[in-house]
Amino acid sequence: MNMSRRQRLQLVRGGIYALTIAALALLIISVDWGALGGALFKWDVVKKQFPDILTSALRNTIIFTIFGFIGGLSLGLLLAIMRLSKSKPYRWFAATYIEILRGVPLLVTLLILGFGIPIATGWSWPNPYLQGAVPLALVAGAYIAETVRAGIEAVPRGQMEAARSLGMSYTRAMVTVIIPQAFRIIVPPLTNEFVLLIKDTSLISVLGVTERTLDLARFGRNGVNDSANATPLVVAGLVYLALTIPLTQLAAWMERRSKVGRR
Amino acid sequence: MSEPLVELRQLHKSFGDNHVLRGIDLSVAKGEVLCIIGPSGSGKSTLLRCVNLLEQPTGGQVFVAGVELTHRDCDIDKARRATGMVFQQFNLFSHLSVRDNVTISLRKVLKMKSTEANARADVLLNRVGLADKASAYPAQLSGGQQQRVAIARALAMEPSVMLFDEATSALDPELVGDVLGVMRELAEEGMTMLVVTHEMGFARNVADRVIFMDGGVIVEEGKPSQVINEPREERTKKFLANVLEN
């Protein structure tokens, strides 16, 4: 049979579509939708989640995220500048910090700082919010540092030279010329870091939080225990999506806009 | 004779094994316009960048307006205010408007009030013919306009000497004239200028003196009519024959 390359490709693609549709159809007829809906999205359980899921759980998730982000951004900026410093000890310290905190899973870091340190030293966290948010910020700082560093390095070298030739010190040039331009470059990846942080707050619940500091994930899990039904987790998932989808769309929009602007 | 405004003594610069400047002695008088010509890689840009210490010389001394920049105790940030530099790639601050590009050093380095800084910026932008672009951003300007803003920005600090590092090399040919026009006016007003350039017409008509560099040394220097029209050295002749052919 004589077919062109293009005809063969069309045939293969058509076959893949047909198989996919058949598999989906099989799935749809074989699943007991009533039972599935009853277990995952039971309406009276959905209604019971409100308003607490918004007024308490969502609020706590946002508090953890914002604290983690502001702390992480400040720390990340400092680490990025240290990483680019001429001083070897600064570079070495920042590189080690970043490697360790990015290399250890957040869950482990949370447990070490949230439980391990208090047990080892007898010191205790003055506030249950801080117990979760501080480790989160320390880890976020390590990730954000690398983003900020990439942003600073993306600013053309000539900008620093022009600033220095006008009599600015290195620090002054960094603050007034380089960092503002670096931030324009990294707003989209920074938005993505923010989205990751929203999701990472769900790990804080391993620290056995109090009723007051329940976050979305833990709230969902407690709801499952109370209702013997998975619906609260699905609702929590939907609330996460309501936060994250607008933000990822915003990041994508900003990225497209900055590409147009550069032309 | 009065003390020179810029003086280089036995200036050496190496990048690793690459010995770019091999003992330069040069002095420039107040009000003098000096053009530096030579093939690429001859060290002429490096020489210029050593005058405000954007490149740290490996050896020798640099004096500007009576201050030794290469001295261990020199406050380089302060000493650099005596020089204004214009770059091949303009290097305007892309996040700032044209006016803020001109005023930023006044506000942040000299701690001048905004109103005062803006007034100075308006005078300078008017001088380079861009008064109507004060609120525009660099990306909205042509290369020639950007370079004229860069000149205004460098002039804002009222330097006693201006350094031009191939200021027209990145421009489309039809935009070169505006920038050279501003540079010529500056020269006529008595500004001391060190100009690294490939524009032989500018060197011939505006410069008081021309130096030809090759291989990290000054090969020939003199009046533009002499160096450009009747070069004595073989290397100068060969370079000029190549440049003027185009």
Side-chain angles (χ1 to χ4, degrees):
Chain A
M1 202 164 55
N2 269 329
M3 280 197 297
S4 72
R5 191 181 149 73
R6 198 189 153 121
Q7 280 171 320
R8 270 203 307 274
L9 271 173
Q10 272 175 346
L11 196 69
V12 169
R13 194 182 296 157
I16 291 172
Y17 287 166
L19 277 174
T20 310
I21 289 166
L24 275 176
L26 197 68
L27 192 69
I28 287 166
I29 48 175
S30 62
V31 167
D32 179 350
W33 288 101
L36 200 63
L40 292 181
F41 208 76
K42 207 169 175 187
W43 194 242
D44 55 319
V45 180
V46 171
K47 277 190 288 194
K48 246 194 254 161
Q49 306 307 307
F50 292 89
D52 284 2
I53 193 169
L54 299 181
T55 56
S56 170
L58 175 63
R59 181 173 157 272
N60 285 331
T61 289
I62 290 176
I63 289 173
F64 282 128
T65 306
I66 288 185
F67 186 97
F69 190 72
I70 291 173
L73 191 59
S74 318
L75 181 64
L77 193 56
L78 185 71
L79 286 168
I81 290 169
M82 287 173 83
R83 193 98 152 75
L84 295 168
S85 153
K86 279 186 192 131
S87 148
K88 253 186 194 158
Y90 282 164
R91 283 207 308 267
W92 185 83
F93 172 83
T96 311
Y97 181 96
I98 292 167
E99 281 305 314
I100 291 176
L101 282 255
R102 290 204 314 170
V104 175
L106 175 58
L107 187 59
V108 175
T109 307
L110 270 170
L111 289 171
I112 291 174
L113 295 178
F115 284 150
I117 300 288
I119 289 169
T121 61
W123 174 81
S124 64
W125 288 92
N127 175 316
Y129 281 111
L130 290 180
Q131 189 186 11
V134 168
L136 195 65
L138 292 177
V139 174
Y143 283 94
I144 291 174
E146 288 296 272
T147 307
V148 173
R149 180 171 73 107
I152 289 174
E153 284 179 335
V155 176
R157 229 174 76 109
Q159 296 285 310
M160 177 57 95
E161 291 184 346
R164 296 304 301 274
S165 79
L166 289 167
M168 291 187 202
S169 66
Y170 176 83
T171 312
R172 166 59 65 199
M174 238 1 192
V175 171
T176 48
V177 174
I178 307 300
I179 291 174
Q181 293 189 60
F183 266 89
R184 267 148 222 258
I185 298 169
I186 62 172
V187 164
L190 224 44
T191 311
N192 289 327
E193 299 280 358
F194 191 81
V195 169
L196 288 176
L197 210 55
I198 292 175
K199 295 185 291 176
D200 283 348
T201 57
S202 64
L203 291 171
I204 288 174
S205 64
V206 299
L207 297 176
V209 286
T210 63
E211 190 67 33
R212 193 159 63 89
T213 58
L214 281 185
D215 72 297
L216 274 171
R218 187 57 177 240
F219 184 88
R221 250 173 85 188
N222 287 0
V224 173
N225 292 342
D226 294 344
S227 63
N229 186 288
T231 303
L233 277 178
V234 175
V235 177
L238 290 174
V239 177
Y240 277 114
L241 286 177
L243 285 178
T244 55
I245 290 179
L247 283 170
T248 51
Q249 291 304 306
L250 180 70
W253 176 76
M254 284 186 296
E255 213 157 342
R256 279 196 302 274
R257 200 187 53 162
S258 75
K259 264 181 200 144
V260 172
R262 242 177 276 140
R263 263 177 221 143
Chain B
M1 207 181 114
S2 65
E3 195 176 290
L5 194 56
V6 176
E7 192 176 4
L8 310 178
R9 289 188 198 153
Q10 272 306 301
L11 196 69
H12 284 265
K13 175 68 187 178
S14 302
F15 296 100
D17 291 338
N18 189 8
H19 202 163
V20 180
L21 295 179
R22 299 166 178 262
I24 303 279
D25 287 294
L26 179 69
S27 49
V28 183
K30 188 172 183 327
E32 188 176 7
V33 176
L34 174 77
C35 279
I36 305 167
I37 62 172
S40 64
S42 59
K44 53 193 194 307
S45 281
T46 305
L47 172 68
L48 201 68
R49 292 161 59 86
C50 281
V51 174
N52 65 356
L53 248 63
L54 275 188
E55 299 294 354
Q56 182 74 41
T58 335
Q61 290 169 297
V62 176
F63 297 85
V64 176
V67 176
E68 189 193 340
L69 273 67
T70 37
H71 195 279
R72 203 159 37 89
D73 297 331
C74 175
D75 176 353
I76 188 63
D77 298 328
K78 196 167 174 198
R80 279 205 185 103
R81 296 181 204 168
T83 59
M85 190 168 214
V86 177
F87 300 86
Q88 183 176 356
Q89 299 298 336
F90 330 135
N91 296 348
L92 290 184
F93 305 136
S94 61
H95 63 305
L96 298 178
S97 71
V98 164
R99 183 183 281 119
D100 288 346
N101 262 278
V102 178
T103 60
I104 185 128
S105 56
L106 298 175
R107 289 182 284 121
K108 300 294 180 182
V109 179
L110 301 184
K111 310 291 179 197
M112 194 185 274
K113 284 210 181 76
S114 282
T115 46
E116 206 181 327
N118 286 341
R120 191 185 285 187
D122 289 344
V123 171
L124 288 166
L125 288 174
N126 202 22
R127 191 159 153 196
V128 298
L130 290 169
D132 56 327
K133 298 287 185 191
S135 319
Y137 280 82
Q140 299 166 313
L141 303 182
S142 74
Q145 291 170 330
Q146 287 191 49
Q147 194 59 299
R148 285 185 281 153
V149 174
I151 294 172
R153 177 177 71 176
L155 289 172
M157 295 294 280
E158 298 185 324
S160 40
V161 53
M162 284 286 282
L163 312 171
F164 291 88
D165 188 6
E166 302 200 26
T168 57
S169 298
L171 296 174
D172 291 336
E174 76 270 21
L175 302 175
V176 169
D178 289 344
V179 172
L180 290 181
V182 170
M183 289 167 65
R184 180 192 296 255
E185 277 173 36
L186 212 52
E188 283 163 3
E189 287 162 22
M191 176 59 80
T192 311
M193 293 163 60
L194 272 69
V195 184
V196 169
T197 189
H198 292 293
E199 298 290 336
M200 290 306 141
F202 181 85
R204 191 184 284 138
N205 297 325
V206 182
D208 298 309
R209 183 158 52 119
V210 170
I211 64 176
F212 171 74
M213 283 182 71
D214 194 15
V217 295
I218 296 174
V219 176
E220 184 164 359
E221 66 173 292
K223 292 248 167 249
S225 53
Q226 183 262 305
V227 176
I228 296 174
N229 298 347
E230 301 149 21
R232 281 188 288 259
E233 300 289 331
E234 235 8 84
R235 282 192 278 181
T236 320
K237 285 178 192 167
K238 209 173 147 199
F239 170 75
L240 287 166
N242 276 332
V243 171
L244 298 174
E245 222 168 74
N246 299 321

